[in-house]
Amino acid sequence: MSGAKGIQELLGQDDFIHRHIGPDQEQIRAMLAELGIGSLAELVAKVTPGSILKGDTLDLAPPMAEQQALEALRAIASENRLNTSLIGMGYHPTLTPKVILRNVLENPGWYTAYTPYQPEIAQGRLEGLLNFQQMICDLTGMEMANASMLDEGTAAAEAMAMARRQQRKNTSNLFFVHQDCHPQTLAVVRTRAEHYGFDILVGGAGELANHRVFGGLLQYPGSTGDIADIAAAIHQLHSMDALAVIAADLLSLVLLKAPGALGADIVIGSNQRFGVPMGFGGPHAGFFAFRDDYKRSAPGRIIGVSVDSRGKTALRMAMQTREQHIRREKANSNICTSQVLLALISAFYAIYHGPKGLEKIARRVHVLTNNLGAGLQAAGYALRHDSWFDTLSVDTGPRTAELYGLALAAGINLRTVDDATLGISLNETSTPELVNQLLAIFGGEPVDCDAAAASGIPAAYRRDTDFLSHPVFNTHHSETEMLRYLKQLEARDIALNHSMIPLGSCTMKLNATAEMIPITWPEFANLHPFAPADQARGYHQLFAELQAMLAACTGYDAISLQPNAGSQGEYAGLVAIKKYHQSRGDGHRDICLIPSSAHGTNPASAQMVGMQVVVVKCDSDGNIDAGDLRAKAEQHRERLAALMITYPSTHGVFEEGVVDICKLIHDCGGQVYMDGANLNALVGIAEPGKFGSDVSHLNLHKTFCIPHGGGGPGVGPIGVKAHLAPFLPGHPVTQVPGTDPANGTISAAGWGSASILPISWMYIKMMGAEGLQRATQVAILSANYLAKKLDPHYPVLYTGRSGLVAHECIIDLRQLKEESGISEEDIAKRLMDFGFHAPTMSFPVAGTLMIEPTESESQEELERFLVAMITIRQEIQQVIDGTWPGDNNPLVNAPHTQDDVLVETWDRPYSRETAARPAPWLRHHKVWPAVNRVDNVYGDRNLVCSCPPLSEYL
């Protein structure tokens, strides 16, 4: 060993690659031998069409070792400057309790879990989300709440759409937005309204008397601090059969009258200041509460209370479980990922502090604000409003720039409301010393913050009702109690820290610790999204480097990091296509072709931008039916806007004709949108931006290692070719380089969920070109290995050239079901007894399971999964043979809980051992399902979406 390469190997520069990729070289050789293939390169050549195969390596720097990458990122983070942030506008410094920081945000038991579609092994997360819904209902005074939205801006946009859906008598197309709403919220609402065909009226409440609207959005308190008489505005809206949407500050609702008590119909907002770091804009949970009458129209997920097969209380996702997959272009919303991890943190924050603790925090913030207001008035300054909770707008006249500069020099960020007004928003971290420091900057005298100053909350708007009275919010206030409660919930779930999660199309791969560490560094976690640009130099360097790396990985020319979920990336990409057509005088192009196998968010997103969906058939091999596509593209040639495809296809194969498909669409004047859900099969071996796609969303929470978080956070940036780059989303508050705010705004913050982007930066830096290519190759190898080993027991439904699959495979259970009566759901539940989460069930084909092992799982883990699946097949055969009755066997009774095996009398035709320990490894480690099979029908017929008494959990 000599030279630079030898030194690099001695330094372990590529060690991370071998830690990320599960199978070692010996296992890779063994798996290739099973397939009869000599090398990974040969495998890829057999699987991937030659027309798209990449001939060179990715243009990326050599891989870094973990510590080297962390040091490089630390240097970038140090370029961020942390001033005291008093900007407000919906973002506030907060204190994340350390017991929650360490045991939830930094704990893979919470951040690597999947969306709770399989409730029996997700009862911990579901209970946390039910607590979240209860918290939101209590504080807002509304009857129901969903289990979070993406952020406050998108929640407001969804509320506007819901208000329009609920109308019967009101035919207006005009939506009112109060002028004191946060500007970023207004921008997101304007964008959504433009493509829905709604008009927006912005003004004071007095404008309502002169217009007929279908709904109105009011900020409470206002963005500039005012606690306006919103009750009168709500009454005015109701008088014209319009719905009142209130954007509320969650901490203020501890002291302010609940919006529900004021007549609100929908209440939205952000949970950020309940213990979730600002993170330069996200991720944060948006909340969405509403009247019970509107529950069938609500977007997102709702957690409900049901019972299991033993009659025990059990939780599940109730309505809208996968609404867009069922209703597709008729879906209410394209929301697929919510912000589960962040919603849970905010709920745990409320549990830890309890109602008394929250009241103490809110009163402290308000008292400090009262004293600051009194001190400023004593110094001769007028306040724009005579009411407030935590935000003051100060009339600073010609001294505005001077005073802003003095505060900046003292390390304090204020808000410039306009040329003559400065805004000051206090928060949980504010102190009496800060108040007096501000007064000194303004030339005032110090005040005694222990002395009572006049409250800024009008008497009519003071809260007079209790909240958070459920025992769960009044029990866990010591760290010991909270720690144990969190651990109890975590123990009821299966996440990646237990076993592989073989979900097709969801790519549940390793989220390495080294990737996760930086997200809680203060330089990334505690920066306000609207801080001056020179205080965020580190973030801007991170963005530029990540954008360049993502462009190198995909072949696109420009990247937008703003969309904060894959669904929002779809929306942003289609908006860019629409605006591109309009710029060329082709605004009439409104037909979107979508294969029948597409993810349900695709048609939902298309209808949200005003496109008409035309479905294209798939053939018996799972490919797009070329003849049907050609016929429909020609039929709609003059109006064709786009084709949305997933590549590799949702059926788990590389379609040979993808280049010709793209050319056909371009020849007809359309654009090609490629869903990036399956990018894990492309990085390093093919570039969608080079083989014909014009735009893709890039699921960073799949291919690029941002964890799933139990159903969110997600991140869905888009990559575009150069001709679409001028139409990427902008932002009204913070300048996003190379964008025009007139293009519209997709997320509330300029760079979406900025604080988790370091995860993908770390992943790409540590993998380099070699590692990323190897990850793709091994993902394809592992999928084909499983397909080959499973096929004798469960036929693989679709294969491509050479009888191989891409990075996932679909096994067909329909014949087995016909012969045995055992369903795909029975198999999914039985897998829980083996300690596995089920693969994707009945998508894209009913009666199937879609399996994706990813590159991170070792051969040993793949073999464990194979043992489980083959054992289950043998059990099915015993049902077919009559050894076990069809209504009493380990599959239909699955999952088996401790309640099952501890019964005194065992009367089933199989043993307790078969029930609970059907595989050898379960003698050493067993994750018990928390409940038996959940009764979905009961849950829907007896819809309860708030916390039952604690006794029901026992």
Side-chain angles (χ1 to χ4, degrees):
M1 185 181 296
S2 62
K5 182 179 179 181
I7 292 294
Q8 186 180 42
E9 289 179 0
L10 285 171
L11 292 173
Q13 295 298 306
D14 64 348
D15 279 354
F16 178 78
I17 297 172
H18 302 305
R19 293 182 183 127
H20 175 83
I21 296 175
D24 60 24
Q25 289 298 327
E26 184 178 339
Q27 292 174 347
I28 288 172
R29 282 192 292 268
M31 292 161 70
L32 285 168
E34 180 71 29
L35 298 174
I37 294 174
S39 68
L40 288 171
E42 181 186 344
L43 171 65
V44 169
K46 285 180 175 290
V47 168
T48 314
S51 59
I52 70 169
L53 202 58
K54 184 175 172 60
D56 56 357
T57 59
L58 293 170
D59 184 16
L60 296 171
M64 291 181 172
E66 289 186 14
Q67 191 57 37
Q68 183 186 12
L70 285 168
E71 289 170 0
L73 189 56
R74 176 68 80 179
I76 291 174
S78 69
E79 293 296 313
N80 291 333
R81 190 166 81 251
L82 288 178
N83 276 14
T84 298
S85 175
L86 305 180
I87 297 170
M89 299 174 69
Y91 301 95
H92 303 268
T94 185
L95 299 173
T96 308
K98 297 301 185 285
V99 66
I100 297 172
L101 180 75
R102 173 62 60 88
N103 294 287
V104 181
L105 182 56
E106 297 178 344
N107 181 354
W110 287 98
Y111 65 69
T112 69
Y114 182 57
T115 307
Y117 291 128
Q118 297 292 343
E120 294 85 358
I121 50 171
Q123 289 295 297
R125 267 168 295 134
L126 288 165
E127 183 173 329
L129 290 173
L130 193 71
N131 294 338
F132 171 87
Q133 291 177 180
Q134 183 72 64
M135 174 184 73
I136 297 303
C137 289
D138 279 9
L139 287 169
T140 61
M142 302 303 290
E143 294 163 312
M144 292 192 71
N146 72 11
S148 86
M149 302 292 279
L150 297 171
D151 59 24
E152 182 167 346
T154 52
E158 294 285 350
M160 172 182 66
M162 182 172 166
R164 177 63 273 170
R165 289 194 298 273
Q166 287 299 130
Q167 301 305 322
R168 297 291 187 272
K169 304 173 186 176
N170 189 332
T171 59
S172 169
N173 213 36
L174 184 64
F175 187 73
F176 170 76
V177 179
H178 194 279
Q179 61 195 13
D180 204 17
C181 284
H182 297 317
Q184 70 273 17
T185 301
L186 172 59
V188 175
V189 168
R190 278 192 189 279
T191 301
R192 198 73 65 89
E194 174 187 348
H195 301 290
Y196 273 136
F198 302 157
D199 296 316
I200 296 293
L201 169 67
V202 180
E207 294 283 342
L208 286 171
N210 305 316
H211 300 85
R212 182 169 176 79
V213 301
F214 68 82
L217 176 65
L218 311 167
Q219 195 89 40
Y220 179 62
S223 186
T224 60
D226 188 25
I227 302 174
D229 185 10
I230 66 167
I234 292 171
H235 178 76
Q236 181 73 35
L237 286 165
H238 287 168
S239 71
M240 61 181 87
D241 294 316
L243 297 192
V245 180
I246 307 302
D249 176 275
L250 204 58
L251 186 62
S252 75
L253 296 184
V254 173
L255 301 184
L256 294 182
K257 189 178 288 287
L262 298 170
D265 299 294
I266 306 169
V267 184
I268 61 96
S270 170
N271 283 62
Q272 181 268 311
R273 69 192 309 181
F274 270 35
V276 182
M278 288 186 292
F280 206 58
H284 305 141
F287 64 83
F288 194 99
F290 45 92
R291 296 185 183 278
D292 181 77
D293 290 346
Y294 308 153
K295 60 179 176 284
R296 300 290 169 185
S297 184
R301 275 73 177 269
I302 298 173
I303 307 307
V305 181
S306 186
V307 295
D308 71 2
S309 58
R310 285 180 164 271
K312 182 178 178 180
T313 297
L315 310 179
R316 58 186 274 276
M317 291 200 297
M319 302 170 302
Q320 324 299 332
T321 296
R322 238 177 178 173
E323 191 249 14
Q324 59 276 107
H325 286 275
I326 299 168
R327 302 189 68 224
R328 301 180 76 77
E329 71 273 11
K330 296 182 175 63
N332 290 332
S333 165
N334 74 343
I335 294 290
C336 189
T337 302
S338 54
Q339 300 283 26
V340 170
L341 184 66
L342 298 313
L344 290 168
I345 289 170
S346 66
F348 294 146
Y349 176 94
I351 289 169
Y352 192 47
H353 288 294
K356 292 180 180 177
L358 290 179
E359 185 175 358
K360 182 178 179 181
I361 293 169
R363 288 200 180 281
R364 188 168 183 274
V365 172
H366 184 58
V367 166
L368 290 174
T369 308
N370 295 336
N371 280 281
L372 176 62
L376 288 169
Q377 289 175 312
Y381 293 92
L383 304 181
R384 175 181 288 190
H385 308 301
D386 57 8
S387 62
W388 57 78
F389 166 64
D390 63 358
T391 296
L392 303 173
S393 289
V394 188
D395 183 358
T396 46
R399 296 193 64 203
T400 301
E402 175 198 356
L403 291 167
Y404 180 89
L406 288 172
L408 202 60
I412 299 172
N413 292 337
L414 303 180
R415 175 186 177 185
T416 302
V417 178
D418 55 43
D419 291 343
T421 313
L422 287 177
I424 307 173
S425 294
L426 300 187
N427 57 76
E428 180 184 7
T429 70
S430 299
T431 63
E433 291 75 17
L434 175 62
V435 167
N436 283 317
Q437 184 182 12
L438 287 165
L439 289 173
I441 290 168
F442 279 76
E445 296 296 321
V447 296
D448 179 4
C449 289
D450 288 329
S455 172
I457 300 177
Y461 284 89
R462 292 174 188 165
R463 188 174 191 110
D464 56 5
T465 55
D466 292 335
F467 59 95
L468 304 187
S469 58
H470 189 275
V472 75
F473 297 103
N474 295 277
T475 304
H476 311 289
H477 302 326
S478 76
E479 182 162 339
T480 302
E481 290 168 330
M482 190 67 193
L483 177 66
R484 290 171 181 161
Y485 180 60
L486 294 175
K487 188 63 180 177
Q488 288 166 12
L489 295 186
E490 181 191 346
R492 297 177 194 167
D493 289 9
I494 286 183
L496 278 173
N497 60 337
H498 286 294
S499 58
M500 70 182 287
I501 300 180
L503 281 150
S505 197
C506 286
T507 316
M508 299 292 290
K509 66 205 297 182
L510 171 70
N511 314 120
T513 307
E515 296 157 7
M516 299 301 297
I517 283 173
I519 68 169
T520 53
W521 289 349
E523 297 88 347
F524 287 136
N526 295 342
L527 198 64
H528 194 288
F530 305 147
D534 65 348
Q535 294 176 22
R537 289 194 178 109
Y539 257 123
H540 289 289
Q541 181 181 345
L542 173 80
F543 299 150
E545 292 186 10
L546 181 57
Q547 287 169 315
M549 291 189 293
L550 291 173
C553 289
T554 59
Y556 289 112
D557 300 307
I559 305 288
S560 169
L561 298 172
Q562 189 174 122
N564 54 4
S567 59
Q568 303 309 292
E570 292 178 15
Y571 184 73
L574 291 174
V575 166
I577 288 173
K578 182 177 181 179
K579 288 188 172 292
Y580 167 74
H581 286 312
Q582 290 173 342
S583 75
R584 293 161 51 86
D586 284 343
H588 61 281
R589 291 188 174 272
D590 64 349
I591 298 293
C592 187
L593 303 179
I594 301 180
S596 59
S597 64
H599 293 89
T601 54
N602 289 181
S605 296
Q607 67 86 21
M608 286 172 62
V609 299
M611 292 184 182
Q612 180 180 330
V613 173
V614 173
V615 177
V616 178
K617 297 175 185 176
C618 289
D619 63 23
S620 58
D621 295 321
N623 297 315
I624 295 173
D625 186 315
D628 192 50
L629 176 65
R630 188 174 298 107
K632 285 172 178 170
E634 289 293 345
Q635 176 187 351
H636 300 289
R637 172 183 284 268
E638 297 305 315
R639 290 176 54 195
L640 182 61
L643 166 71
M644 297 185 80
I645 60 171
T646 300
Y647 200 81
S649 78
T650 310
H651 291 130
V653 295
F654 285 93
E655 298 193 36
E656 292 291 321
V658 67
V659 172
D660 293 335
I661 287 171
C662 294
K663 184 177 185 302
L664 169 64
I665 299 303
H666 290 149
D667 288 347
C668 292
Q671 296 285 286
V672 177
Y673 179 98
M674 197 195 86
D675 187 309
N678 293 340
L679 201 64
N680 208 48
L682 292 177
V683 177
I685 67 171
E687 299 168 294
K690 296 288 179 66
F691 62 68
S693 170
D694 299 290
V695 53
S696 290
H697 78 265
L698 317 174
N699 288 51
L700 300 193
H701 53 290
K702 294 183 179 181
T703 300
F704 294 99
C705 287
I706 290 175
H708 203 276
V715 185
I718 57 171
V720 297
K721 297 299 288 181
H723 63 283
L724 292 180
F727 308 102
L728 292 175
H731 198 272
V733 181
T734 182
Q735 177 58 44
V736 179
T739 67
D740 182 352
N743 289 337
T745 303
I746 302 299
S747 302
W751 288 270
S753 294
S755 69
I756 54 176
L757 295 178
I759 300 170
S760 297
W761 186 97
M762 285 287 294
Y763 173 66
I764 298 172
K765 285 290 187 181
M766 292 188 295
M767 292 291 277
E770 174 193 348
L772 291 174
Q773 182 186 56
R774 177 60 63 93
T776 302
Q777 292 170 333
V778 174
I780 293 171
L781 170 63
S782 296
N784 278 283
Y785 181 74
L786 285 186
K788 175 73 179 297
K789 302 276 272 188
L790 286 172
D791 191 57
H793 310 279
Y794 307 91
V796 174
L797 186 56
Y798 299 113
T799 59
R801 181 162 48 101
S802 305
L804 298 169
V805 300
H807 66 311
E808 59 193 9
C809 64
I810 299 174
I811 58 172
D812 192 351
L813 309 173
R814 290 172 293 186
Q815 184 63 37
L816 270 179
K817 183 177 181 178
E818 189 173 319
E819 294 175 11
S820 66
I822 299 300
S823 69
E824 65 277 11
E825 183 176 17
D826 295 327
I827 295 173
K829 303 307 182 186
R830 181 59 171 155
L831 274 169
M832 297 176 191
D833 290 329
F834 290 82
F836 285 109
H837 194 292
T840 304
M841 190 171 67
S842 289
F843 177 79
V845 180
T848 66
L849 292 176
M850 184 196 289
I851 302 168
E852 180 180 352
T854 83
E855 73 275 11
S856 296
E857 302 299 341
S858 68
Q859 187 182 13
E860 289 95 340
E861 185 70 359
L862 300 184
E863 293 295 345
R864 284 203 320 125
F865 179 71
L866 286 168
V867 167
M869 290 298 294
I870 293 168
T871 301
I872 288 171
R873 176 62 182 87
Q874 293 166 349
E875 292 178 343
I876 295 172
Q877 190 62 44
Q878 292 191 68
V879 175
I880 294 172
D881 295 341
T883 304
W884 290 329
D887 61 353
N888 189 9
N889 59 69
L891 292 122
V892 298
N893 291 333
H896 296 84
T897 63
Q898 292 185 25
D899 289 337
D900 288 325
V901 299
L902 291 174
V903 293
E904 187 172 340
T905 301
W906 181 262
D907 58 359
R908 300 183 183 185
Y910 53 94
S911 69
R912 299 176 200 252
E913 186 83 2
T914 297
R917 293 201 301 204
W921 62 82
L922 299 168
R923 296 175 180 272
H924 308 291
H925 176 65
K926 168 76 176 177
V927 181
W928 288 95
V931 295
N932 288 95
R933 196 172 304 195
V934 177
D935 189 332
N936 293 321
V937 174
Y938 178 93
D940 281 340
R941 289 178 177 171
N942 303 274
L943 187 62
V944 176
C945 299
S946 55
C947 295
L950 283 182
S951 59
E952 293 195 22
Y953 295 116
L954 301 177

